[in-house]
Amino acid sequence: GLLISKPAKEKFHGPPARPAPPRAAPPPPRVCDAPPPLPPAAAPAISAEKKQEEAEKAKETLVAAVPEKQKPMAKLLAAAAIAGEKVKKMSAKVTAADETSACADYYTKAGISSSLGACVATASSRRRSLQAAAYDVEVFFKSSEISTSKLTAAASSLEAAGVTGVSTQTSVDPVAELKAIPGVPSNVVDDFEAKATAAAADPLPPPSGDDLILDEVTSEGARGGTSIAAIAAIVIVNMLL
């Protein structure tokens, strides 16, 4: 018979292999973190000398805006504010022919020098018979130029002389008094107040001992140099003779 060959059996190799997953892309190169932003630069510190200079300029502007008769008072008040001082104040009612006479009469009856303080007299009424006016007198003193005891003695002297309405204040804010002057722009006073406060908070240091010694040495040296020059001139003249 015919031989029929059987097909060879295929060997089973298992399920087909799965394709390998795609390789992950490498991570992007690391970027260094940006440094934190720098804080805003601080404003340069203002020196004590600069503060004093700015306060003095603001003082000049302020005084220029004050009515003429009140300028001496404004100068005193402004100087006290820059120095960080309070002021003393005395008020009284004085009868006189005019404002100048009222202030002069005040100083005479108070028994203090007219070189102290700043006086402002304002007419409050007029007496027809004597042609003299009653003046409201206000006198301001820097705390450093008159003691409280001397101010009290001046008040007693005024009352003994028959002056009425005498009162004293020993701790008055100079800036508050400047703000009370009529006709001065508020922005001018505010600008001065800010600069005076800054100057008072950072006063100029007193001269050091070294500076004082140097001044003395320089002065002595100048005098010594003059003496030597004079002696040399005499010697030369004698030689020529």
Side-chain angles (χ1 to χ4, degrees):
L2 296 174
L3 296 174
I4 300 173
S5 58
K6 296 181 179 179
K9 292 182 178 180
E10 296 181 356
K11 293 183 178 181
F12 180 72
H13 298 285
R18 294 181 179 178
R23 183 175 296 178
R30 183 178 178 183
V31 179
C32 295
D33 295 336
L38 296 175
I46 302 177
S47 67
E49 291 81 0
K50 184 66 174 177
K51 291 176 183 177
Q52 291 288 327
E53 180 183 341
E54 291 182 350
E56 288 294 335
K57 289 181 179 178
K59 171 187 169 183
E60 292 175 4
T61 302
L62 172 66
V63 172
V66 171
E68 189 64 32
K69 78 171 187 176
Q70 293 171 306
K71 286 186 186 297
M73 177 189 72
K75 289 179 181 178
L76 184 146
L77 294 172
I82 293 173
E85 293 184 7
K86 297 293 185 181
V87 297
K88 294 181 172 72
K89 178 181 179 180
M90 179 177 283
S91 303
K93 291 185 179 297
V94 178
T95 301
D98 52 39
E99 296 173 352
T100 302
S101 299
C103 283
D105 198 34
Y106 161 83
Y107 280 109
T108 299
K109 292 179 178 179
I112 57 178
S113 171
S114 60
S115 63
L116 299 176
C119 177
V120 177
T122 305
S124 57
S125 65
R126 180 169 292 279
R127 296 190 304 183
R128 296 179 182 177
S129 59
L130 300 178
Q131 293 298 308
Y135 287 89
D136 292 325
V137 175
E138 291 183 333
V139 186
F140 294 89
F141 303 91
K142 291 172 67 176
S143 293
S144 57
E145 71 178 348
I146 189 170
S147 64
T148 300
S149 59
K150 190 170 184 178
L151 194 68
T152 302
S156 299
S157 181
L158 285 168
E159 291 174 341
V163 177
T164 61
V166 178
S167 65
T168 60
Q169 299 178 58
T170 58
S171 184
V172 177
D173 181 4
V175 175
E177 293 293 335
L178 287 169
K179 290 181 177 180
I181 299 175
V184 182
S186 59
N187 64 311
V188 172
V189 182
D190 292 341
D191 180 63
F192 169 76
E193 180 180 14
K195 291 174 179 175
T197 301
D202 190 13
L204 292 174
S208 65
D210 293 341
D211 292 337
L212 296 176
I213 292 172
L214 180 60
D215 290 342
E216 291 178 1
V217 170
T218 302
S219 178
E220 290 293 338
R223 288 197 295 268
T226 302
S227 300
I228 292 171
I231 292 171
I234 294 173
V235 171
I236 292 172
V237 170
N238 289 335
M239 290 175 64
L240 293 175
L241 294 176

